[in-house]
Amino acid sequence: MASLPFWKIQRELSRFGRQLAAAPGNIWRYWTERPFYDMVTARQIRVSEGGIPSSDNVALFLVFPADGILQSHLHSLRWLTDNGYAPLVISNVPLTDTDRAALHDHAWQILERPNVGYDFGGYRDGILSLADRLPSLKRLVIVNDSAWFPMPGTDGWLTEAETSGYDVVSASFHWGIARVDTEDFRDIRWEFSTDDRNFHYGSFALSVGANVLRDPAFLGFWKHYRLTGDKSKTVRRGETGFSQWILRSGYSHTATLDLTTLDTDLAAMPDDQVIDLAQKLILHEDMLMRGKKLEVLAGPDGRDPKTLIPLILTSIARQGVSYALPHHIIRAKGYPFLKKSPLWACPDTQSIMLDFIDGITGDQGPDIQSEAEALVAKRRDRLQPDITPLYETRLALRRR
């Protein structure tokens, strides 16, 4: 057996040393963050009454209005109220009097809280505030403003979730398809499973039914949820943790976006449509896969569906379909959510997003377009680097 290179041994020893040094602080925070928040920080929570009457269907809408309440927030709230939901708006930043007044006619209650624990900290405060009402609710919807919603012509998601017959309904899932390494993308097998320990439903859109809400263990999950200021731990404890709790508890669950036949759907598409989808793939977090996309599209297989289809499938499995393929799922599948975060990725990803947003129709089209432009301008100094030149150089060297 080949021995490990000395530099790898050094790297692992260094990593272990850093983890060991950080352990006391991590253990201390693990046991104290939530009690300190509940006893001290939570006293800063401010609750205001809105103008929408109470209902046995409640929508918890978490917002982070760093630039104030936007028209898209109000559009989403109108959608919720038009479908019979009483919105509980939770803001992770303090609201101005103007913002509070703007929300009043669109909310049942408004809860302003310190931004501790990211989205799941806000979800927790909202659910704990509903503790006495949970057993009498028919449905609790959890949404946040990390996405614009609903997209034009996709306003049936709430009803679809209610009538699905499932206890927990999400818009989409992550880690439901076994991932492969970037270089092995042609070997992907498109088989859905919830067995992976990282499997989770997207927490930006959840609909929870009465069977779950009446279960004391549901409230117990949120009472005992450990707040953290670490984003990766928030995903692991919150998004993944809650989904895994649903699976362990035996409740029925599903995602309304059915991707089980995506491989055969792509195979049945005309070649030019497959090529178009591959070119519009959004890979704002997965730098390795973004590089592989550029490499494949610039190479001899750049217009070969037999190569592009596994490239698309691998990108979705690794990045998540909500991010990777909005063009297809919104236009062809009626998916109602458009994630915002790719707008502050690299320039090529921005361009794909802005081209799509320019084509959004309906009353909310101009609002989304202006908000997208503002997000791009605000995040310009924090964009990821454009890696296209790096991969063009790499390809040129390979061809020599």
Side-chain angles (χ1 to χ4, degrees):
M1 180 183 292
S3 59
L4 282 174
F6 181 68
W7 69 267
K8 282 192 175 182
I9 297 173
Q10 274 190 316
R11 183 189 64 185
E12 294 306 314
L13 287 174
S14 177
R15 180 183 298 169
F16 177 73
R18 290 194 302 271
Q19 292 173 343
L20 191 63
N26 289 336
I27 293 170
W28 174 255
R29 284 189 293 273
Y30 181 82
W31 290 107
T32 62
E33 277 183 304
R34 186 191 65 218
F36 183 83
Y37 178 83
D38 288 343
M39 291 186 291
V40 180
T41 315
R43 294 178 183 178
Q44 300 173 35
I45 293 174
R46 171 178 178 173
V47 179
S48 308
E49 294 299 319
I52 299 297
S54 176
S55 170
D56 52 13
N57 285 339
V58 171
L60 193 162
F61 183 26
L62 187 132
V63 298
F64 189 83
D67 298 313
I69 295 299
L70 305 172
Q71 286 302 311
S72 63
H73 290 130
L74 302 182
H75 173 79
S76 298
L77 286 167
R78 283 192 291 270
W79 176 58
L80 294 169
T81 55
D82 287 349
N83 282 273
Y85 283 82
L88 169 56
V89 179
I90 299 176
S91 177
N92 269 0
V93 296
L95 298 171
T96 64
D97 291 341
T98 301
D99 287 338
R100 210 172 291 115
L103 288 172
H104 178 272
D105 292 343
H106 303 277
W108 162 56
Q109 285 186 341
I110 304 162
L111 190 154
E112 301 167 58
R113 65 181 297 274
N115 187 17
V116 176
Y118 298 100
D119 289 356
F120 267 79
Y123 296 162
R124 179 177 183 267
D125 280 338
I127 290 169
L128 294 185
S129 77
L130 295 169
D132 294 338
R133 299 195 60 210
L134 289 176
S136 64
L137 294 182
K138 291 181 179 178
R139 206 85 191 174
L140 175 67
V141 163
I142 299 173
V143 285
N144 67 47
D145 67 350
S146 66
W148 286 293
F149 66 90
M151 291 290 100
T154 65
D155 56 0
W157 184 79
L158 292 168
T159 301
E160 184 179 357
E162 291 170 16
T163 59
S164 67
Y166 287 88
D167 294 315
V168 179
V169 180
S170 180
S172 60
F173 62 82
H174 298 278
W175 288 87
I177 305 293
R179 301 185 176 195
V180 295
D181 289 339
T182 304
E183 297 299 325
D184 300 326
F185 74 90
R186 291 176 178 84
D187 298 332
I188 190 167
R189 300 178 65 183
W190 196 254
E191 297 174 354
F192 174 76
S193 172
T194 62
D195 291 342
D196 194 288
R197 63 188 180 90
N198 292 308
F199 172 85
H200 61 273
Y201 288 110
S203 63
F204 61 89
L206 288 168
S207 179
V208 184
N211 290 336
V212 179
L213 301 176
R214 286 195 296 262
D215 185 348
F218 171 75
L219 183 59
F221 173 89
W222 295 99
K223 282 183 176 178
H224 300 297
Y225 172 77
R226 295 194 178 277
L227 296 166
T228 175
D230 184 298
K231 283 191 176 182
S232 61
K233 289 179 181 177
T234 298
V235 171
R236 187 168 66 249
R237 296 178 190 175
E239 200 164 36
T240 304
F242 180 64
S243 296
Q244 292 295 321
W245 178 84
I246 291 294
L247 268 60
R248 290 194 305 271
S249 300
Y251 289 111
S252 60
H253 51 89
T254 192
T256 51
L257 181 60
D258 183 7
L259 296 177
T260 54
T261 62
L262 182 59
D263 55 340
T264 55
D265 293 345
L266 291 172
M269 286 182 185
D271 290 359
D272 60 345
Q273 190 173 349
V274 174
I275 294 167
D276 183 62
L277 289 179
Q279 292 172 341
K280 291 176 178 175
L281 276 171
I282 290 175
L283 297 155
H284 72 299
E285 292 180 337
D286 193 336
M287 298 289 282
L288 289 175
M289 200 65 208
R290 177 146 54 101
K292 178 56 66 176
K293 169 195 167 182
L294 294 172
E295 180 181 321
V296 170
L297 292 179
D301 295 328
R303 300 185 66 82
D304 178 13
K306 291 182 180 178
T307 298
L308 297 182
I309 288 174
L311 178 79
I312 294 169
L313 295 175
T314 301
S315 299
I316 291 170
R318 289 171 61 96
Q319 179 80 74
V321 70
S322 298
Y323 300 98
L325 212 61
H327 299 70
H328 177 66
I329 59 176
I330 291 174
R331 289 175 177 164
K333 297 286 189 178
Y335 191 71
F337 303 94
L338 177 61
K339 298 293 285 184
K340 301 176 182 178
S341 56
L343 280 168
W344 48 86
C346 60
D348 57 306
T349 296
Q350 268 192 351
S351 178
I352 295 170
M353 282 288 292
L354 290 173
D355 284 347
F356 177 71
I357 288 170
D358 283 344
I360 295 176
T361 59
D363 294 341
Q364 69 268 45
D367 293 329
I368 292 175
Q369 290 154 17
S370 63
E371 291 176 22
E373 290 168 2
L375 281 173
V376 168
K378 185 177 181 181
R379 300 274 183 154
R380 187 167 287 125
D381 61 335
R382 286 180 280 173
L383 285 181
Q384 297 171 3
D386 186 352
I387 62 174
T388 306
L390 172 67
Y391 277 86
E392 288 177 344
T393 302
R394 178 172 159 186
L395 283 171
L397 290 172
R398 281 187 177 182
R399 290 167 183 159
R400 288 181 181 178

